[in-house]
Amino acid sequence: MENIMNTILYIIVYAGGLAAIILMLTLTITDCRSYKEDKENREKQDKRDAEYHESRMKALEKK
């Protein structure tokens, strides 16, 4: 009886460990994707800001 209980306990602990590893991998992959998207969005925004600044400077020079 004790062996069966220990076996069940080991299975539960093993399943919990696998779940934790899968969760860590999922969070890591999600974080990497999010960082990449944020970087791309920042670059696009910087480009838009530079274009806006340039157009504003041209508009001010005409006045």
Side-chain angles (χ1 to χ4, degrees):
M1 186 68 166
E2 188 175 333
N3 285 338
I4 295 172
M5 291 173 56
N6 283 339
T7 304
I8 293 171
L9 179 64
Y10 290 139
I11 291 171
I12 292 171
V13 170
Y14 181 74
L18 284 177
I21 291 170
I22 291 169
L23 177 64
M24 288 173 54
L25 287 173
T26 303
L27 291 174
T28 303
I29 291 169
T30 304
D31 186 50
C32 290
R33 286 182 182 171
S34 177
Y35 174 77
K36 183 179 177 184
E37 290 172 359
D38 287 346
K39 185 178 177 183
E40 290 172 355
N41 289 339
R42 254 184 273 118
E43 290 171 355
K44 289 177 186 176
Q45 187 63 43
D46 289 345
K47 184 179 178 183
R48 277 187 250 140
D49 289 347
E51 290 171 356
Y52 175 77
H53 178 71
E54 185 178 324
S55 68
R56 291 294 296 151
M57 293 304 287
K58 286 181 182 178
L60 289 174
E61 286 175 0
K62 289 182 182 178
K63 288 184 179 182

